Amino acid sequence: MTQAPAQDRGARSRDAILDTAGALMARYGYAATSISMISAECGLPASSIYWHFGSKDGIYVAVLERARIALLAALPRAEMAGADVAQRLDAFLADVQDAFQRHPHGLKLLLGLGMVQQDASAAAVAEVHRYRDALVAWAHAALCAVFGLDDRPQVADELARFTLRMASGTAVARWFDPSVGLDTGQLHVALLALAAHHDVPVRGTPREGALPRDAADRE
């Protein structure tokens, strides 16, 4: 009878530590976040943190893993609705913006560890690589569907990495101004231009010559 309540308390403590550590590391970065800061913020003793995670690296691996799972689950499916490239790209970018707004810590955590990778454990670095690889694979599949690039994987990969670099830049900007959002209007224009540079058909649609949705809304 007592085992289940004890397990529940342990799970709640673990989640509280992860919530606190994730918020602190997203705000201050991996190196600047200490066990004592996490303990003071979540109200649990340092001994409890060490019992659950073993070390600061152990906490970060768990925080990053949870952020990766949550963000990937929130990202749009690879299949995009729309009669033409511009419509599918609009739908894709709107879903991406929504996902990043609902999971603001995800990319910041990934960037934070990437910036101090030389100080992190092998397990933490491996989790960063899993995170990055998963994001690239998702963006590759989604942009293949948007632009019809099943037979041109190298172009899809370039578009995917460009999109993630733009998102990463937004995450960096949020350290200075939390209100900053992903500029989907500029990204829409840039992706169409990059695709056209590789001779991917992007013209001849009902939206040719029109402003992207976000830009039109600002007019």
Side-chain angles (χ1 to χ4, degrees):
M1 296 292 292
T2 60
Q3 185 176 4
Q7 289 176 341
D8 290 343
R9 286 195 300 272
R12 288 195 297 270
S13 295
R14 189 177 190 278
D15 286 343
I17 294 167
L18 288 176
D19 289 341
T20 301
L24 289 173
M25 289 177 174
R27 181 177 181 183
Y28 298 112
Y30 170 80
T33 301
S34 65
I35 295 290
S36 60
M37 288 172 62
I38 298 169
S39 174
E41 190 73 17
C42 72
L44 292 167
S47 58
S48 177
I49 298 173
Y50 284 115
W51 186 86
H52 282 290
F53 299 101
S55 66
K56 179 177 155 182
D57 273 338
I59 298 171
Y60 201 60
V61 170
V63 164
L64 195 60
E65 180 181 26
R66 188 170 72 159
R68 169 175 56 84
I69 292 169
L71 180 59
L72 289 173
L75 290 172
R77 298 172 290 106
E79 299 80 13
M80 290 291 117
D84 56 64
V85 168
Q87 289 177 0
R88 293 194 296 272
L89 185 57
D90 259 350
F92 167 73
L93 292 176
D95 286 347
V96 169
Q97 184 181 51
D98 179 66
F100 288 158
Q101 285 176 339
R102 287 187 288 114
H103 298 272
H105 296 330
L107 281 177
K108 290 173 71 174
L109 288 165
L110 176 60
L111 286 167
L113 186 53
M115 292 176 182
V116 295
Q117 188 163 299
Q118 67 275 12
D119 299 323
S121 70
V125 172
E127 179 56 35
V128 165
H129 290 165
R130 282 191 290 271
Y131 201 160
R132 287 174 175 164
D133 290 348
L135 284 173
V136 170
W138 159 78
H140 179 105
L143 289 165
C144 267
V146 168
F147 287 96
L149 296 171
D150 289 338
D151 59 342
R152 303 188 66 184
Q154 290 182 330
V155 177
D157 191 65
E158 183 176 342
L159 294 174
R161 293 180 185 277
F162 178 79
T163 299
L164 293 176
R165 284 195 294 271
M166 289 283 288
S168 297
T170 300
V172 171
R174 282 179 177 171
W175 269 316
F176 304 97
D177 181 359
S179 67
V180 170
L182 184 66
D183 191 332
T184 56
Q186 289 186 2
L187 187 52
H188 187 286
V189 172
L191 286 171
L192 287 178
L194 187 57
H197 173 74
H198 289 287
D199 297 321
V200 176
V202 297
R203 298 184 180 276
T205 72
R207 286 176 52 89
E208 182 178 356
L211 288 171
R213 183 173 58 195
D214 284 2
D217 290 344
R218 292 193 294 269
E219 288 294 319

